[in-house]
């Protein structure tokens, strides 16, 4: 996960799941322009990202395990203006062969924990902008059906949230959510 702030503004960006993929390239593109909070899942990954960004005082790195409530509480100490949800775990294999406990864990991280974190952020800052990244939710591949299903679920949930907020049915009606499927770099270019 990543949180970001423009250096000369008061906004903060928070990226979760920032170890690799499209988020890594976004961070590279904007690393000098914003205050960025980067989160990764494990201590080993944390060591790697800290080393990578050690010369950037505007980039803060920490471990955020979605299934660990002590880690989730860390987010309460940060004012977040833009939340970029990218954290996920991938359970690959045939739908009929994957142990059900692994399916549950995949949904716990990719769906339930993402919602739990996002709710915390919205409650603290009703004007937060939320970006959730998911290509797999739209384009499932063989042997990644469980992962794709969890990403499709989070995409649909956030589309519903966006509609609720537009209708003013939520106390956080100033919030705007967006699902970005590709070219996230356009946001900061």
């Amino acid at each position: 996960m990543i949180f970001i702030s423009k250096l000369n503004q008061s906004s903060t960006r928070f990226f979760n799941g920032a170890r690799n993929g499209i988020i890594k390239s976004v961070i590279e593109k904007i690393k000098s322009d914003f205050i960025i909070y980067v989160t990764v899942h494990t201590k080993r990954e944390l060591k790697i990202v800290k080393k990578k960004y050690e010369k950037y005082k505007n980039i803060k790195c920490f471990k955020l395990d979605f299934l660990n409530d002590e880690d989730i509480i860390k987010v309460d100490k940060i004012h977040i203006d833009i939340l970029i949800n990218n954290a996920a775990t991938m359970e690959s294999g045939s739908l009929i062969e994957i142990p059900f406990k692994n399916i549950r864990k995949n949904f716990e991280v990719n769906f339930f924990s993402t919602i739990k974190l996002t709710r915390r952020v919205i409650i603290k800052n009703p004007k937060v902008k939320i970006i959730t990244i998911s290509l797999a939710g739209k384009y499932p591949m063989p042997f990644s059906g469980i992962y794709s299903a969890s990403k499709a679920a989070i995409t649909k949930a956030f589309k519903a949230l966006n509609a609720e907020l537009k209708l003013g049915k939520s106390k956080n009606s100033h919030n705007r959510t967006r699902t970005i499927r590709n070219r996230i770099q356009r946001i900061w270019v």
Side-chain angles (χ1 to χ4, degrees):
M1 179 162 284
I2 300 175
F3 305 99
I4 307 169
S5 294
K6 190 75 172 162
L7 285 175
N8 60 358
Q9 296 179 356
S10 62
S11 65
T12 302
R13 279 26 172 219
F14 184 95
F15 290 77
N16 64 48
R19 181 187 60 197
N20 55 32
I22 193 170
I23 288 297
K24 185 177 174 184
S25 61
V26 171
I27 295 169
E28 286 300 311
K29 191 168 188 86
I30 66 169
K31 65 186 174 192
S32 299
D33 300 329
F34 297 92
I35 297 171
I36 303 171
Y37 288 86
V38 175
T39 71
V40 292
H41 181 237
T42 66
K43 289 180 181 178
R44 184 182 64 78
E45 293 167 348
L46 180 59
K47 188 175 179 180
I48 293 167
V49 296
K50 277 187 170 183
K51 183 173 173 65
K52 180 175 181 96
Y53 299 118
E54 67 188 349
K55 62 184 170 184
Y56 297 94
K57 296 193 183 314
N58 59 309
I59 298 178
K60 316 288 187 218
C61 305
F62 64 93
K63 182 179 96 57
L64 181 66
D65 179 345
F66 269 30
L67 301 180
N68 181 331
D69 287 337
E70 289 178 21
D71 278 3
I72 296 292
I73 290 170
K74 294 175 190 176
V75 174
D76 294 344
K77 298 175 184 171
I78 303 168
H79 177 81
I80 301 167
D81 293 302
I82 299 177
L83 169 63
I84 298 96
N85 284 317
N86 188 55
T89 186
M90 182 173 181
E91 186 64 42
S92 59
S94 172
L95 179 64
I96 59 174
E97 295 174 352
I98 298 172
F100 206 77
K101 68 177 183 171
N102 296 19
I103 294 171
R104 282 187 191 277
K105 182 178 179 191
N106 202 106
F107 270 85
E108 185 62 40
V109 171
N110 299 353
F111 182 74
F112 296 112
S113 294
T114 299
I115 289 175
K116 180 168 68 172
L117 177 75
T118 301
R119 287 172 58 159
R120 279 187 101 89
V121 172
I122 289 173
I123 289 167
K124 187 168 181 198
N125 179 12
K127 294 183 180 184
V128 66
K129 290 170 182 56
I130 301 161
I131 300 169
T132 301
I133 300 166
S134 178
L135 282 169
K138 187 170 183 172
Y139 304 105
M141 299 292 292
F143 304 104
S144 67
I146 296 302
Y147 175 74
S148 295
S150 67
K151 295 305 253 178
I154 198 68
T155 298
K156 296 298 184 189
F158 283 143
K159 282 186 178 189
L161 174 61
N162 191 34
E164 292 166 5
L165 296 171
K166 284 181 180 177
L167 291 171
K169 300 294 183 191
S170 169
K171 64 182 177 184
N172 299 304
S173 60
H174 298 290
N175 181 37
R176 293 184 314 149
T177 61
R178 295 191 296 170
T179 301
I180 303 298
R181 289 189 170 72
N182 58 17
R183 299 190 185 191
I184 191 170
Q185 292 91 342
R186 288 184 184 175
I187 295 168
W188 293 288
V189 174

